[in-house]
Amino acid sequence: MHDLVIRGGTLVRPGGLEQADVAVDGDQISAIGPELGAAKLEIDARELHVFPGVIDAHVHFNEPGRTLWEGVASGSRALAAGGGTLFFDMPLNSLPCTVNASGLAQKLEAMQQNAATDFALWGGLVPGNLAHLPDLAAGGVVGFKAFMSDSGLEEFPRADDYTLYQGMLKAKELGLPVAVHAESEELTRGLSESALAAGKRGVRDYLQSRPVLAELEAIQRALLLAQQTGCKLHLVHVSSGQGVAMVVEAKAKGVDVSLETCPHYLFFTDEDMERLQGALKCAPPLRSRRERDHLWQRVLDGQVDLIASDHSPSPPELKKGEDFFKLWGGIAGVQSTLSVLVTEGYDLRGLSLEAIARLTAESPAKRFRLARKGALEAGYDADITLVDLGSKFVLREQDLLQRHPVSPYLNRSFRGKVRQTLVRGFTVYFGGRALEGAWGKLARPGL
């Protein structure tokens, strides 16, 4: 007798859609097939689609140190409400930052005490911490994150070219990727200072201070460094189709590079940013409708490796003010990734459900070497999301499980409601509620 059988759902797998049962024993999928045997517990999924749990490779849950901004407990439950079963927490926004063994230990303790889902951790690459990278690797980080432009936080300074070069050499030795925020510091700083000196502080002024060119210049430089060092490179939150094209060209030349984009770059444009103001401030910023459509085409063509939320919330007061340059730059959207892809991708543009599963589960698991994650396969962890594709809903404040009810997706209509989320066979979200408790485990590369 199985511990659990999910009956008759439409499974979303790389080879296509398949109606079958999924058996779970312990914390792993034990069998997939028609009419599997009896179980201690059964879930009727005959009207639902069964996805592998969403793996969000880019979140800022801000713990320890800035739990008033989010916190692991609320952030991981919001993730689960959006069908997420595993998140990668970034090394900055928390205090201390995860740039050495001590910072990693404090971050790990916070995760173990509060995470409702499984988690992985990014280490930081900043000037002066090169000697700490082996300790971070031994502690289980999935890679090292660096900023090529000002992060906005004094405690996490940007990596100059020398730091990035030396860090990539060390990361190559350790067998881990370097992830970069690719915007040119020289261009963004110069354009920002020029605008502010002229008294320009509006949304359009901010947009003009961070053009696509600033992204492209930094991507080009990061690709060259990765090519010369042999380091695995991951480009976070690429905002433009032009940026994706550069990566595609580099891959053809043998550079070991992957890239992510984010739901907000696919859902919103610069015009929305003018309307919603601080709720949509981010860096790189939102682009024109034409650039967004170009980015969507790259997604549809299979040239984007993965999609992550870059959930970076703050207290609501930090999102308000007359000077747009001073507002906190980060979008709260950890709960909406799957909703955006089903609604804007599958429903409107013909993005296949298999592609959605690849972008949100299979690819991040493979790229960061999480051996038993990211697929509906026997022997894999039973990280499973049940979605009602026939259900339409409007996202309301009371639906948000994150700490602050601030999201640019509020009052938007979506298709595809998450009905249930299971982490290693254990239900963490059901019926609009996330269960209280900490069940999350650290996911380490190669395990």
Side-chain angles (χ1 to χ4, degrees), residues 314-398:
S314 70
E317 58 269 21
L318 296 184
K319 285 292 197 176
K320 300 174 182 177
E322 296 298 320
D323 187 341
F324 197 79
F325 284 79
K326 290 183 178 179
L327 305 188
W328 176 256
I331 290 177
V334 71
Q335 201 166 317
S336 298
T337 299
L338 199 57
S339 298
V340 168
L341 293 178
V342 169
T343 304
E344 292 289 312
Y346 173 72
D347 221 16
L348 296 184
R349 293 175 172 85
L351 181 68
S352 71
L353 298 178
E354 298 94 322
I356 293 175
R358 175 183 63 82
L359 289 162
T360 61
E362 179 187 351
S363 287
K366 286 184 176 179
R367 179 58 173 169
F368 301 106
R369 299 188 295 116
L370 304 179
R372 295 190 300 274
K373 299 289 188 182
L376 301 175
E377 298 288 350
Y380 277 58
D381 286 353
D383 298 336
I384 298 168
T385 300
L386 305 180
V387 181
D388 183 355
L389 283 186
S391 176
K392 295 183 178 180
F393 67 98
V394 175
L395 185 67
R396 304 296 188 190
E397 278 193 14
Q398 59 266 29

Side-chain angles (χ1 to χ4, degrees), residues 24 28 43 45 57 74 79 95 122 220 237 245 272 281 300 353 385 405-406 431 434:
V24 177
Q28 293 186 352
I43 296 173
S74 56
L79 175 81
L95 291 170
W122 284 100
Q220 184 179 54
H237 52 50
D272 296 304
K281 184 185 178 184
L300 295 171
L353 298 178
T385 300
V406 177

Side-chain angles (χ1 to χ4, degrees), residues 63 72-73 77 108-115 119 437-440:
E63 190 170 351
V72 177
R77 283 159 182 74
L108 183 57
E109 181 180 8
M111 295 291 158
Q112 292 170 334
Q113 291 180 354
N114 297 290
F119 57 90
W439 304 278

Side-chain angles (χ1 to χ4, degrees), residues 57 88-91 98-99 104 120-125 129 132-133 135-146 156 167 171-172 174-180 231-234 367-370 443-445:
F88 293 16
D89 198 63
M90 283 292 172
T98 312
V99 295
L104 178 61
L121 301 176
W122 284 100
L125 171 58
N129 87 318
H132 296 287
L133 300 189
D135 291 337
L136 292 170
V141 301
V142 291
F144 307 107
K145 168 70 178 296
F156 201 92
K172 165 69 173 175
L174 297 169
L176 292 174
V178 169
V180 298
C231 175
K232 297 178 182 178
L233 174 65
H234 181 64
R367 179 58 173 169
F368 301 106
R369 299 188 295 116
L370 304 179
R444 298 172 61 113

Side-chain angles (χ1 to χ4, degrees), residues 54-179:
V54 170
I55 297 175
D56 194 333
H58 191 155
V59 305
H60 301 265
F61 286 163
N62 307 325
E63 190 170 351
R66 285 192 174 97
T67 53
L68 292 179
W69 292 33
E70 182 61 88
V72 177
S74 56
S76 61
R77 283 159 182 74
L79 175 81
T85 55
L86 169 65
F87 63 89
F88 293 16
D89 198 63
M90 283 292 172
L92 70 161
N93 295 12
S94 55
L95 291 170
C97 297
T98 312
V99 295
N100 53 37
S102 175
L104 178 61
Q106 292 179 64
K107 175 66 71 75
L108 183 57
E109 181 180 8
M111 295 291 158
Q112 292 170 334
Q113 291 180 354
N114 297 290
T117 67
D118 285 348
F119 57 90
L121 301 176
W122 284 100
L125 171 58
V126 296
N129 87 318
L130 193 67
H132 296 287
L133 300 189
D135 291 337
L136 292 170
V141 301
V142 291
F144 307 107
K145 168 70 178 296
F147 271 73
M148 298 178 74
S149 58
D150 183 8
S151 74
L153 297 170
E154 290 184 7
E155 60 269 20
F156 201 92
R158 76 177 185 95
D160 55 82
D161 284 356
Y162 176 76
T163 297
L164 199 53
Y165 176 65
Q166 293 295 329
M168 284 187 175
L169 289 172
K170 180 57 69 174
K172 165 69 173 175
E173 289 180 21
L174 297 169
L176 292 174
V178 169

Side-chain angles (χ1 to χ4, degrees), residues 383-431:
D383 298 336
I384 298 168
T385 300
L386 305 180
V387 181
D388 183 355
L389 283 186
S391 176
K392 295 183 178 180
F393 67 98
V394 175
L395 185 67
R396 304 296 188 190
E397 278 193 14
Q398 59 266 29
D399 301 322
L400 292 176
L401 300 190
Q402 63 200 50
R403 182 174 293 277
H404 301 290
V406 177
S407 169
Y409 300 106
L410 283 175
N411 302 316
R412 296 279 185 157
S413 297
F414 294 100
R415 175 183 175 183
K417 193 166 186 63
V418 173
R419 296 299 184 189
Q420 191 165 351
T421 305
L422 299 92
V423 175
R424 286 177 282 104
F426 182 78
T427 294
V428 297
Y429 176 82
F430 176 74

